[in-house]
Amino acid sequence: MTTKPKARKFRIKRSVPPMPTADHAEFGSAQPKEHVTPERPATSARPAGPRPVPVSGARPAAQAPTASQPKAGAEDSAPQDTLRSGEVSSPKEVAGELDMDAIRREGLTGRQLRMARRVAQKHGLAPTSDFDAVRLLRSKGIDPFQRSNMLELVVPQAGGEQRDGGPGDMMAQLPAQQGGAGTGRVQLPQTVPAGGGINLPSTELSPAERRQREIGDIQRDISRRRRRKLGLLMVRLAFFVMLPTFAAGYYFYKVATPMYATTSQFLIIQSEGTSTSPFGGLLPTQFANSADSIATQAYLQSKDAMLRLDADANFKTHFSNADVDPIQRLTDDPTNEEAYKVYKKNVKIGYDPTEGVIRMEVIAADPHVSADFSRNLLKYAEERVNNLSKKKREDGMADAVQGLEQAMDKRRAAQQNLIELQVQNGVDPEAEIIAIRTQITTYEGLLIEKELELAALLDNTRPNKAKVDGAQGDVRRLNEQLDKLNAKLNSATQGEDSLAKKAVELQLAQADLVAADTNLQLAQTGLEAARAEANRQVRYLTVAVEPVAPQEPTYPRKFENTILAFLIFAGIYLMLSLTSAILREQVTS
C-alpha cells in the first residue's frame, strides 16, 4: 500500500468551477484552470469553490477513491506530488470539463444519474459524481441509460457465504465487487462525515429541477388559494343560505300555527232544453257556462265575499285570535285591506275548464270554523249563480209579454173599427153595388129584347099599331129604369158618402183585422220561445264534494316548506353572485 501524498489546497477564483474528474479524484479537488494562489496545507479544509449541482432524488456522491483502487485512465499513471502556481490544465482535462458542463445542461433526471452511477460501478469505473459517471461511460462507448442494463445491476455481493453446500459467490471476482462485501466500493446512499474534506453536491439546481420546483410552488399557491376561496364560499353559504333556511325551518317546525283546510267541489250546470241541431245531444253543457263559472270564482275571491263572510261568520275575529302565530295573525282592529290579504291567502279557488269543476279550499285555525266558512261561501256562490241568469230571463220574458199585449191591443182596435163601419153603413156597400149592377144588367137584357121585338113589328108593311105602341112603351120604360139605376150607381160610387168609399173603408178594416190576428199569433209564438229560452238559461249550482271538517292539520308542510326556502335562498344567492361576478368582470376589463 502506498501512502497518498497530501495535496495542497488552492483558492479558485472563477464563477463556475468544474467538477473534479477521475484524473484528479484522489486529491479530493479539481485542478485550477486559471491563476491560483497557494494556501497553507490543511487536512480538514474543504474546497473553496461552489459545490456541484445536486439532482432531485440522486444519492450523495461517492467518496474519492483510495490509492488502492485502480486508476481510470493511462494518463493517471504518474501522480503529481506538487502543484505549482499558474499551472495550465491539459487539453484532455479541459475537454473533460466541457463534457461535464454539456452533461449538466442536458437536464438529466435523478433516476438516470443513479442508473449511470450503478452502471459505472458495474464496469469497474470510479466516478467522482453522477455526471462524471455519465462522462466515463460514454468515453468507454457504453450507453448508461440502456434498459437491458437494468437487470444486470442486481448482482450478489462479493464474498457471500456458501449456503446449503453450494459454491460461494461467483461474482466476487468482478472489479466492482473485489474486497468483499462493503470493501472498496461505494454504497448508496451513504453518509458524509462532517469536516472530511469531501466534495458535496452543489446547491444549485438544474433548469428541469428549477422548473419542477416553481411548478410545485405554483400548485401549492393555487391549492392554498382554492382552500381560502372554498372557506370563504362556505362562510357565505352558511350566512346567506344555511342560516335563513334554519330560521325558516325553525319557524315551520316550532312557531307556525297548525292550519286546517276544508276542500269542496261544485259544478254550475244549465237546463238541457231542446235542440234542433243533430249534434245537440253530443255537446256537453259544461262548456256553455264557462263564463258563469269564471264569474262565480271571481266573486268568491272578491272583497265583497270577504265582507259578507266576516258579517256572517266573523272572519276577522277568527284570524285576530292570540292563538294564531304573529306572522299569520291579524291586528286587533284590522282594516279591510289587511283582512283581504289574509282572505286571499286562506281561500283558494280554482276552475278546471276541461271538467267544468270549481275546487275550493278554505283554511282556518280550527277545523269546524273552516267547514263553516266553506258552507257559507257555497251559499254565496249559489245566490250569485241565480242572480247571474235571473236578469237575463226576466228581460226576455218581459219583452215577449209586452209584444203579446201590443198585438192583442192592435187586433182589438182593428176589430172594433170594422164593427163600427158595419154599423154605420147598415148594409154591406159592396153587396148593394153588386145588386144595382145586377139589376142594370137585367134591364139592359130586357131592353135589347123589346128593341128587337119593336124592330120586327116595324119591318111589316102593315104593322099592328097596338103591338107597335106596346113595344115602344116597353122600350121607353126600360130606358127610364136603366137611367135611374145608372144614376143610383153613379151616386153610390161618387162623393164622400158613396158606397164605393164605404166599401173601401170596410175592406181596409178587414185587412187590419187580419194583420192584427197574424201579429197576435206571432206574439204568442214569441212568448212561448222566450219562456223556453228562460228555462234554458236557468243555472244550477250542484255540490259534487261536500265540505267536511278535517281531523289533522294540513298546513304548514314543514319539510316541503323548508326545502322550498332553501331553494329560494340558494337561488337568490346564486343570482347575486352571478351579478357581482359580471359587474366585477366588466369593471376590471
Side-chain angles (χ1 to χ4, degrees), residues 33-342:
K33 302 305 182 293
E34 294 179 1
H35 176 74
V36 293
T37 57
E39 216 178 35
R40 180 183 299 175
T43 57
S44 62
R46 291 186 178 182
R51 298 174 181 178
V53 178
V55 180
S56 176
R59 297 180 181 179
Q63 296 179 0
T66 59
S68 61
Q69 292 179 341
K71 301 301 177 104
E75 63 276 7
D76 300 332
S77 58
Q80 296 178 354
D81 295 335
T82 60
L83 297 177
R84 290 176 296 181
S85 175
E87 184 178 358
V88 179
S89 299
S90 64
K92 188 174 182 179
E93 294 175 351
V94 175
E97 292 175 359
L98 295 177
D99 294 339
M100 295 284 285
D101 293 337
I103 292 172
R104 288 190 185 93
R105 287 193 296 269
E106 288 179 6
L108 299 177
T109 62
R111 181 175 177 275
Q112 291 175 333
L113 295 174
R114 291 193 300 273
M115 184 188 302
R117 173 67 69 90
R118 294 186 189 129
V119 172
Q121 292 178 358
K122 176 180 176 298
H123 287 82
L125 302 178
T128 59
S129 66
D130 294 342
F131 297 100
D132 190 29
V134 175
R135 184 185 66 81
L136 293 176
L137 288 173
R138 287 179 179 176
S139 63
K140 295 292 184 179
I142 301 172
D143 187 7
F145 310 120
Q146 187 176 1
R147 290 184 177 273
S148 59
N149 295 330
M150 292 293 295
L151 297 178
E152 299 174 4
L153 298 178
V154 183
V155 296
Q157 295 180 355
E161 298 178 356
Q162 182 178 1
R163 298 177 183 272
D164 299 333
D169 192 356
M170 301 301 295
M171 306 294 291
Q173 300 302 323
L174 291 176
Q177 305 294 338
Q178 295 177 359
T183 303
R185 69 187 190 92
V186 179
Q187 298 291 337
L188 298 177
Q190 61 183 344
T191 58
V192 178
I198 300 174
N199 290 335
L200 296 177
S202 175
T203 57
E204 296 182 1
L205 300 178
S206 64
E209 293 178 345
R210 188 181 300 109
R211 182 169 61 254
Q212 292 179 0
R213 176 175 293 182
E214 292 176 354
I215 291 174
D217 294 340
I218 293 173
Q219 291 176 349
R220 285 190 295 272
D221 184 64
I222 292 174
S223 300
R224 184 170 58 256
R225 291 183 181 180
R226 286 179 178 176
R227 288 193 297 270
R228 184 172 64 254
K229 289 183 179 180
L230 182 61
L232 294 177
L233 176 62
M234 297 304 296
V235 171
R236 289 195 297 268
L237 288 177
F239 183 78
F240 292 105
V241 179
M242 297 301 176
L243 186 61
T245 303
F246 176 77
Y250 179 79
Y251 167 76
F252 291 132
Y253 278 92
K254 299 296 183 181
V255 180
T257 302
M259 291 292 178
Y260 299 85
T262 301
T263 59
S264 60
Q265 298 181 10
F266 57 92
L267 298 165
I268 298 176
I269 60 177
Q270 64 181 0
S271 178
E272 294 288 341
T274 58
S275 177
T276 58
S277 174
F279 304 100
L282 300 178
L283 297 177
T285 59
Q286 292 89 335
F287 297 100
N289 56 13
S290 59
D292 298 332
S293 300
I294 295 173
T296 304
Q297 176 186 359
Y299 170 72
L300 292 178
Q301 291 180 334
S302 64
K303 190 181 294 185
D304 186 12
M306 186 271 295
L307 294 175
R308 189 173 178 182
L309 182 63
D310 179 59
D312 296 341
N314 298 324
F315 176 80
K316 295 181 180 179
T317 304
H318 175 72
F319 282 95
S320 300
N321 193 353
D323 296 335
V324 182
D325 61 88
I327 295 180
Q328 303 182 76
R329 186 195 311 160
L330 287 173
T331 58
D332 295 336
D333 189 13
T335 61
N336 292 335
E337 285 71 18
E338 295 175 352
Y340 183 58
K341 291 180 181 180
V342 177

